[in-house]
């Protein structure tokens, strides 16, 4: 019993139930957002021009019997809300319907594509963190000439469209230098990473530039703060001042944009997967949209939105960890 | 005997080369003996903070310093970065005006207090925590053990200013530099913090340079008063001279008149015009 008491937090009970409440509230909020978004997507798809049944039937598009049969099979003949209800109950049972283009269940279709996209986003994210942060830090410490040079490069990286980056990288590193393959996914984790390197760089380049800018600005800003002067006045060495006071505090504004950068990476997969012919969720979405494969578009979009929400929730948790002022408390 | 601190003909200049030079300190000279408390008074913008920061070479990087500053006989401007770090860490403690701005909000009070011991051995670090508890107790903070685990934003300004005083004393400095340490606090807390500084430095025999724009406060706390005006020290006084009215510079008189008096309320504070006291008043 004594041990249990010792392990209790100082003001036992309250903070933990508080945390749980926050988490529960947060989850409920996310679920509500997803529900709303999925409904809006559903409605938007119905309003979109073009009839999926005609596309499915191809040459037999005029046949009323075939149209009736397909409409019944896909519930297209029922009211909108009922159709949405079908999709929602299916979702809760892990059944997202059938893709009429791929003649496969949507869930297995998506499941097969998630690893590539997840790996691509993770790879890109690591690149942004390492590259963007390092370049920003160097720029913040560098003299005028280097700082200006970096700033020009960052502007170029930010202004170049993703497709152009992809073409340049493929030309230089695949066709000319032959360091990386252009197409395919590769085998094993290393093989996959090798194949994903150029796409990940393409995906991460402009985000890294944004990250570098924010890092540079945050570090410069933090350097001028009173508490940094105090740290110097206390006789801390330069590295401690930089690490424990300047960079540590610069992480706050950096984390603030991490959510936006994460969302940008996820959205960017749609273009990058297409440019590099990767079988990911993003390219699946594009294929499904062009062929009016409603079931696939619906579930893929919702999955991507869920990923956005997840990244945001993660960033919020991270922010709470690195900024004690956002945590509750108060012993005035 | 050489004084602990000797500031000798200190000039501080911004700009130069292509830009217009701007001189903000004009030959500031004063000494602080071991165990002595010296107060510097002057209106805001008179150069008090620049003077104080120059003592440990904390002046802005774009400012140039001429003249000499000697701590315990050693020239501060001639010190290497390592020697400067050691001077700041081991010999000179500083207390700033706004504790919430001057203390990094992301670290716990305990980490802040013991931070200068991070590179030391295990035993020293443990001793540092013990010392931090002791000092928190001495700056009259209740429940020091709990405070060690708090973050700065969880403490009031007065509490946090005591913490900063404790932090400045962690390594037993010989000189304490306080830059308007009570200006950001409410009146009751101000009095407590001043009394605390007075007690602590008397007990330890620490020298003190105390900056304020409140001339009576300095009179109560310090052995000697320097009156600063537009980058110059225009008068040196003892508290006895101050209270006896033996004031020779009209700016000092104006400062005394300026003091908002709680008992005798004025409708207006007399304004001091820039340059009003410059004519005919040489330093000393
Ligand atoms: N970094 C700086 N660059 C330019 N001018 C400065 C800088 N710091 C202070 N000053 C100027 O120097 C003068 C004296 O400032 P300061 O020493 O802070 O005055 P005090 O502490 O007496 O109020 C002020 O006029 C202020 O504007
Ligand atoms: Mg000042």
């Amino acid at each position: 019993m004594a041990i249990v008491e010792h392990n209790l937090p100082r003001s036992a009970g309250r903070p933990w139930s508080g945390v749980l409440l926050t988490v529960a509230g947060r989850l409920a909020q996310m679920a509500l957002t997803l529900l709303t978004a999925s409904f809006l997507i559903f409605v938007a798809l119905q309003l979109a021009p073009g009839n999926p049944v005609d596309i499915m039937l191809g040459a037999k598009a005029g046949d009323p019997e075939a149209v009736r049969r397909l409409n019944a099979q896909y519930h297209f003949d029922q009211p909108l809300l009922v159709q949405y209800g079908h999709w929602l109950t299916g979702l809760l049972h892990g059944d997202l319907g059938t893709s009429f283009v791929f003649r496969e269940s949507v869930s297995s279709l998506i499941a097969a594509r998630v690893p590539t996209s997840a790996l691509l986003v993770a790879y890109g994210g690591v690149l942004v963190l390492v590259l963007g942060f390092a370049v920003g830090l160097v720029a913040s410490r560098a003299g005028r000439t280097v700082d200006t040079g970096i700033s020009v490069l960052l502007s170029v990286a930010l202004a170049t469209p993703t497709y152009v980056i992809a073409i340049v990288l493929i030309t230089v590193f695949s066709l000319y230098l032959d360091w990386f393959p252009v197409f395919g996914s590769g085998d094993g984790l290393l093989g996959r990473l090798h194949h994903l390197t150029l796409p990940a760089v393409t995906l991460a380049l402009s985000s890294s530039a944004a990250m570098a800018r924010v890092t540079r600005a945050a570090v410069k800003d933090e350097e001028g703060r009173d508490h940094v002067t105090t740290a110097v006045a206390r006789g801390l060495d330069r590295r401690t001042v930089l690490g424990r006071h300047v960079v540590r505090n610069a992480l706050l504004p950096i984390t603030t944009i991490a959510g936006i950068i994460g969302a940008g990476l996820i959205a960017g997969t749609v273009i990058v997967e297409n440019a590099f012919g990767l079988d990911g969720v993003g390219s699946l979405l594009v294929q499904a949209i062009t062929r009016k494969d409603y079931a696939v578009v619906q579930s893929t979009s919702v999955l991507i939105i869920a990923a956005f929400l997840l990244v945001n929730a993660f960033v919020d948790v991270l922010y709470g960890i690195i900024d004690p002022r956002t945590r509750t408390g108060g012993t005035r | 005997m050489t004084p602990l601190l000797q500031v000798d003909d200190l000039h501080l200049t911004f700009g130069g080369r292509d830009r217009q030079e701007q001189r903000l300190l004009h030959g500031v000279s004063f000494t602080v003996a071991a165990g002595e408390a010296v107060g510097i008074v002057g209106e805001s913008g008179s150069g008090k903070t620049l003077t104080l920061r120059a003592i440990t070479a904390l002046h802005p990087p774009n400012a140039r310093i001429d003249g000499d500053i000697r701590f315990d006989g050693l020239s501060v401007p001639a010190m290497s970065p390592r020697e400067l770090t050691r001077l700041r860490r081991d010999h000179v403690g500083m207390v700033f005006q706004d504790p919430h701005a001057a203390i990094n909000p992301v670290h716990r009070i305990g980490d802040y207090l013991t931070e200068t011991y991070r590179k030391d051995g295990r035993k020293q670090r443990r001793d540092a925590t013990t010392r931090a508890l002791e000092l928190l107790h001495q700056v009259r903070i209740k429940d020091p053990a709990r405070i060690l685990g708090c973050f700065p934003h969880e403490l009031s300004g007065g509490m946090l200013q005591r913490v900063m005083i404790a932090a400045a004393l962690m390594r037993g400095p010989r000189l304490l530099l306080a830059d308007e340490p009570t200006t950001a606090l409410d009146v009751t807390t101000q009095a407590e913090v001043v009394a605390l500084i007075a007690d602590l430095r008397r007990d330890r025999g620490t020298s003190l340079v105390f900056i304020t724009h409140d001339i009576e406060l300095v009179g109560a706390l310090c052995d000697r008063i320097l009156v600063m005006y537009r980058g110059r020290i225009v008068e040196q006084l003892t508290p006895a001279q101050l209270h006896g009215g033996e004031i020779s510079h009209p700016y000092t008189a104006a400062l005394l008149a300026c003091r908002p008096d709680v008992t005798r309320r004025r409708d207006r504070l007399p304004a001091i015009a820039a340059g009003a006291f410059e004519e005919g008043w040489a330093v000393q």
Side-chain angles (χ1 to χ4, degrees):
Chain A
M1 287 315 263
I3 299 165
V4 172
E5 272 175 23
H6 273 289
N7 285 339
L8 278 176
R10 272 192 209 107
S11 37
R14 211 178 54 90
W16 278 110
S17 57
V19 169
L20 282 182
L21 252 169
T22 316
V23 170
R26 183 84 208 197
L27 285 175
Q29 195 188 334
M30 277 170 70
L32 199 67
T33 310
L34 266 183
L35 201 67
T36 316
S38 66
F39 182 70
L40 289 179
I41 292 167
F42 203 89
V43 173
L45 284 177
Q46 301 295 321
L47 296 177
N51 184 346
V53 172
D54 290 344
I55 297 178
M56 275 184 252
L57 289 172
K60 287 198 291 176
D63 181 354
E65 176 54 24
V67 169
R68 201 198 51 75
R69 200 167 35 79
L70 276 177
N71 271 335
Q73 186 187 337
Y74 290 96
H75 308 295
F76 290 149
D77 52 355
Q78 287 170 354
L80 194 71
L81 269 176
V82 177
Q83 289 187 43
Y84 178 68
H86 267 294
W87 178 79
L88 206 57
T89 21
L91 175 71
L92 296 177
H93 294 99
D95 173 18
L96 301 173
T98 313
S99 157
F100 59 77
V101 174
F102 297 93
R103 312 251 167 229
E104 211 184 321
S105 91
V106 175
S107 46
S108 64
L109 202 58
I110 288 178
R113 303 227 178 185
V114 163
T116 303
S117 295
L119 204 58
L120 179 62
V121 169
Y123 198 168
V126 170
L127 284 179
V128 170
L129 283 183
V130 175
L131 220 79
F133 183 76
V135 170
L137 194 60
V138 168
S140 75
R141 325 292 315 146
R144 242 221 198 103
T145 324
V146 176
D147 189 17
T148 312
I150 290 178
S151 157
V152 169
L153 287 180
L154 293 183
S155 302
V156 172
L158 270 172
T160 315
T162 309
Y163 262 108
V164 178
I165 297 171
I167 291 168
V168 171
L169 289 180
I170 289 173
T171 313
V172 176
F173 292 101
S174 295
L175 304 181
Y176 186 68
L177 293 171
D178 199 21
W179 286 357
F180 297 100
V182 185
F183 290 111
S185 319
D187 297 317
L189 187 64
L190 275 182
R192 276 178 163 230
L193 285 179
H194 186 218
H195 279 75
L196 280 178
T197 297
L198 286 189
V201 172
T202 307
L203 181 65
L205 204 65
S206 61
S207 301
S208 302
M211 179 67 150
R213 274 195 176 173
V214 169
T215 302
R216 176 191 173 278
V219 168
K220 288 231 166 202
D221 188 42
E222 206 57 47
E223 269 182 324
R225 296 213 187 252
D226 285 354
H227 72 80
V228 176
T229 309
T230 309
V232 177
R234 299 180 75 204
L236 298 173
D237 59 285
R238 281 180 59 178
R239 277 178 58 184
T240 307
V241 173
L242 185 66
R244 260 179 78 79
H245 295 282
V246 178
V247 174
R248 171 65 180 76
N249 289 51
L251 289 183
L252 303 181
I254 291 172
T255 307
T256 309
I257 68 136
I260 300 167
I261 285 188
L265 288 178
I266 292 169
T269 56
V270 175
I271 297 174
V272 170
E273 286 175 2
N274 261 315
F276 286 89
L278 293 171
D279 278 342
V281 178
S283 53
L284 177 65
L285 177 64
V286 174
Q287 287 161 10
I289 287 173
T290 47
R291 299 196 217 172
K292 301 231 168 283
D293 196 346
Y294 283 3
V296 174
V297 175
Q298 172 75 27
S299 296
T300 316
S301 319
V302 171
L303 176 70
I304 290 177
I305 290 169
F308 283 152
L309 292 178
L310 221 60
V311 166
N312 262 313
F314 176 73
V315 167
D316 277 1
V317 170
L318 202 64
Y319 202 89
I321 292 173
I322 65 173
D323 187 355
R325 285 166 298 184
T326 58
R327 284 176 240 163
T328 45
T331 1
R332 264 171 201 270
Chain B
M1 208 181 91
T2 54
L4 181 66
L5 177 71
Q6 185 165 14
V7 176
D8 190 14
D9 196 25
L10 178 71
H11 295 259
L12 186 143
T13 319
F14 280 103
R17 263 197 267 169
D18 42 342
R19 245 176 288 161
Q20 176 82 42
E21 275 206 357
Q22 194 190 4
R23 180 157 289 192
L24 290 164
L25 296 182
H26 308 263
V28 172
S29 301
F30 63 94
T31 60
V32 181
E36 192 187 18
V38 172
I40 304 180
V41 264
E43 64 188 347
S44 123
S46 55
K48 306 182 297 292
T49 297
L50 287 175
T51 305
L52 194 79
R53 293 197 176 191
I55 293 173
T56 51
L58 279 173
H59 51 279
N62 55 334
R64 196 184 73 237
I65 287 244
D66 301 294
D68 201 9
I69 296 159
R70 287 182 178 271
F71 183 86
D72 206 14
L74 297 172
S75 169
V76 176
M79 283 185 186
S80 70
R82 274 190 74 158
E83 288 168 329
L84 268 179
T85 302
R86 206 164 304 145
L87 172 78
R88 292 165 182 160
R89 192 189 59 189
D90 297 337
H91 301 301
V92 184
M94 280 185 98
V95 179
F96 295 97
Q97 181 174 336
D98 178 0
H100 279 292
I103 297 177
N104 191 339
V106 309
H107 299 299
R108 288 176 197 275
I109 300 298
D111 292 331
Y112 166 68
L113 283 167
T114 58
E115 192 173 20
T116 57
Y117 292 87
R118 280 170 57 84
K119 298 266 158 90
D120 295 332
R122 240 191 130 121
K123 178 168 182 318
Q124 279 101 317
R125 292 207 307 269
R126 200 159 345 109
D127 291 349
T129 306
T130 314
R131 189 163 163 68
L133 283 170
E134 245 171 59
L135 274 165
L136 286 183
H137 181 72
Q138 286 174 23
V139 297
R140 293 162 209 162
I141 280 181
K142 278 174 269 154
D143 201 358
R146 188 181 58 88
I147 297 298
L148 283 188
C150 285
F151 285 100
H153 72 276
E154 297 173 318
L155 306 187
S156 68
M159 282 258 261
L160 203 57
Q161 194 57 289
R162 291 157 199 268
V163 169
M164 186 146 51
I165 293 166
L169 295 173
M170 275 295 284
R171 282 181 174 261
R174 295 157 70 191
L175 175 64
L176 195 61
L177 306 177
D179 188 351
E180 309 210 26
T182 61
T183 308
L185 309 177
D186 63 77
V187 182
T188 7
T189 323
Q190 273 183 12
E192 286 167 15
V193 168
V194 169
L196 183 66
I197 291 177
D199 287 357
L200 286 170
R201 70 144 211 106
R202 207 165 291 136
D203 293 349
R204 281 149 215 272
T206 311
S207 303
L208 173 70
V209 179
F210 190 99
I211 285 183
T212 178
H213 48 250
D214 184 344
I215 191 162
E216 304 230 330
L217 182 63
V218 186
L221 180 69
C222 298
D223 305 319
R224 208 141 45 80
I225 302 155
L226 313 179
V227 180
M228 195 156 187
Y229 178 64
R230 304 194 96 204
R232 290 188 171 86
I233 289 176
V234 293
E235 180 158 17
Q236 297 213 21
L237 292 164
T238 62
Q241 285 171 323
L242 177 71
H243 295 129
E246 299 168 46
I247 295 162
S248 50
H249 198 286
Y251 178 64
T252 314
L255 272 182
L256 264 174
C258 235
R259 192 173 190 273
D261 200 316
V262 199
T263 49
R264 278 181 301 138
R265 280 193 51 186
R266 269 173 227 278
D267 292 336
R268 267 164 153 240
L269 297 178
I272 301 175
F277 307 108
E278 229 138 76
E279 296 297 295
W281 290 96
V283 184
Q284 301 253 309

